[in-house]
Amino acid sequence: MAKLKILEFPDPRLRTKASPVEVVDDDLRALIADMFETMYAAPGIGLAATQVDVHKRLLVTDISANSDAPLALINPVILEKDGLVATDEGCLSVPGFYEEVERAEQIKVRFLDRDGVEVELEAEGLQAVCIQHEIDHLDGKLFVDYISEAKRQRIRKKLLKEQRQLTAEAT
């Protein structure tokens, strides 16, 4: 397993729409393992392949307190949405920022598991929010797209400044 580099906003690669996974094989399972390692190390509760510069429709999530409920979703599709909940969201690609976002409180999602078996899952609360957040990444959308342009620009400027400082310190 290997820890992967997480792209950070405003990196334009985060806007790439992911392509469907054609084959579930050992290479994909190795990527899934690497994504879990990266997510847990960050630490986070969800990670989309787009965030690690792999533009395939794949995401991983684990909302458990003990990191013992890993869930990989390949080619996820939301079939149903119900209710509305507003929660403070953060993102590994937008480190240090949290904003309120409204999403469906309950969803039904269809996906392939690590063995290529089609699964339907009914999720609610944090799990539903996390899956919707990660599917947005696969569609080239970030949680900052749900906030005002002024807030988004403030976040962009601060992150760019931090990235420039890190680059200057490295040289």
Side-chain angles (χ1 to χ4, degrees):
M1 292 194 320
K3 191 171 159 208
L4 306 169
K5 180 176 178 4
I6 298 173
L7 301 177
E8 291 187 7
F9 177 74
D11 192 309
R13 293 172 290 180
L14 289 168
R15 300 301 186 173
T16 304
K17 189 169 168 89
S19 301
V21 171
E22 300 294 331
V23 178
V24 178
D25 58 11
D26 287 342
D27 289 341
L28 187 72
R29 284 185 278 277
L31 173 60
I32 290 169
D34 291 346
M35 287 175 62
F36 275 117
E37 180 179 346
T38 303
M39 179 188 76
Y40 291 135
I45 61 169
L47 185 67
T50 301
Q51 293 176 272
V52 293
D53 203 21
V54 176
H55 303 286
K56 295 183 179 181
R57 295 195 70 78
L58 165 66
L59 66 91
V60 297
T61 180
D62 187 342
I63 61 164
S64 68
N66 300 323
S67 301
D68 60 1
L71 181 64
L73 290 81
I74 302 165
N75 297 334
V77 176
I78 295 175
L79 304 173
E80 297 174 16
K81 294 181 178 186
D82 191 37
L84 197 61
V85 63
T87 57
D88 273 349
E89 286 189 25
C91 180
L92 297 177
S93 291
V94 190
F97 292 91
Y98 299 86
E99 293 290 338
E100 188 173 275
V101 176
E102 284 189 352
R103 297 197 187 268
E105 187 173 23
Q106 299 171 344
I107 62 169
K108 184 176 190 178
V109 62
R110 180 177 43 223
F111 59 93
L112 300 177
D113 69 10
R114 294 182 213 209
D115 297 318
V117 176
E118 188 174 285
V119 177
E120 284 190 9
L121 172 73
E122 292 186 18
E124 61 184 22
L126 181 59
Q127 186 177 43
V129 167
C130 184
I131 290 170
Q132 291 171 86
H133 176 109
E134 300 309 330
I135 288 175
D136 272 357
H137 277 298
L138 301 179
D139 294 330
K141 191 171 186 176
L142 295 138
F143 89 97
V144 294
D145 296 338
Y146 291 92
I147 63 176
S148 72
E149 180 65 24
K151 282 185 180 180
R152 187 167 42 255
Q153 289 305 324
R154 230 179 1 261
I155 291 170
R156 177 192 308 269
K157 285 179 185 177
K158 185 165 184 180
L159 287 175
L160 284 172
K161 182 179 178 184
E162 289 173 6
Q163 290 166 10
R164 281 193 302 273
Q165 287 173 337
L166 286 174
T167 302
E169 291 171 5
T171 56

